[in-house]
Amino acid sequence: MTNSGPLSGTEGSVLDPVVAIQYQIILESERSVTIDIVTGIDGTREGALRLVEKYYDKQIANRVSGLAWTHS
């Protein structure tokens, strides 16, 4: 969280493969922020990237979260 440089853009053999999105948030004194974390899975890289694009929109993420709560 302290490294402000770009992600490495590399891939390799790991225990838990992930997609990581880096986003910088600057908070002024006495301010707050809400961070939504959405996880998903797909059988292909292209499918996973489509999920990232879909849920990047805060309105869609809020709607899906509300529907999930309703269905649970």
Side-chain angles (χ1 to χ4, degrees):
M1 294 180 64
T2 59
N3 182 1
S4 62
L7 298 176
S8 67
T10 61
E11 57 186 74
S13 179
V14 295
L15 295 176
D16 299 314
V18 299
V19 172
I21 301 171
Q22 183 178 25
Y23 193 83
Q24 184 176 12
I25 299 172
I26 299 173
L27 292 177
E28 296 178 13
S29 178
E30 304 297 322
R31 300 297 301 227
S32 64
V33 66
T34 299
I35 300 172
D36 297 318
I37 299 174
V38 178
T39 59
I41 188 169
D42 197 277
T44 66
R45 175 182 167 79
E46 293 76 22
L49 291 174
R50 281 193 300 274
L51 289 173
V52 170
E53 290 173 11
K54 179 177 182 180
Y55 294 111
Y56 189 77
D57 184 325
K58 184 172 177 56
Q59 290 178 346
I60 291 174
N62 286 341
R63 178 166 165 70
V64 168
S65 176
L67 288 172
W69 182 84
T70 301
H71 288 283
S72 69

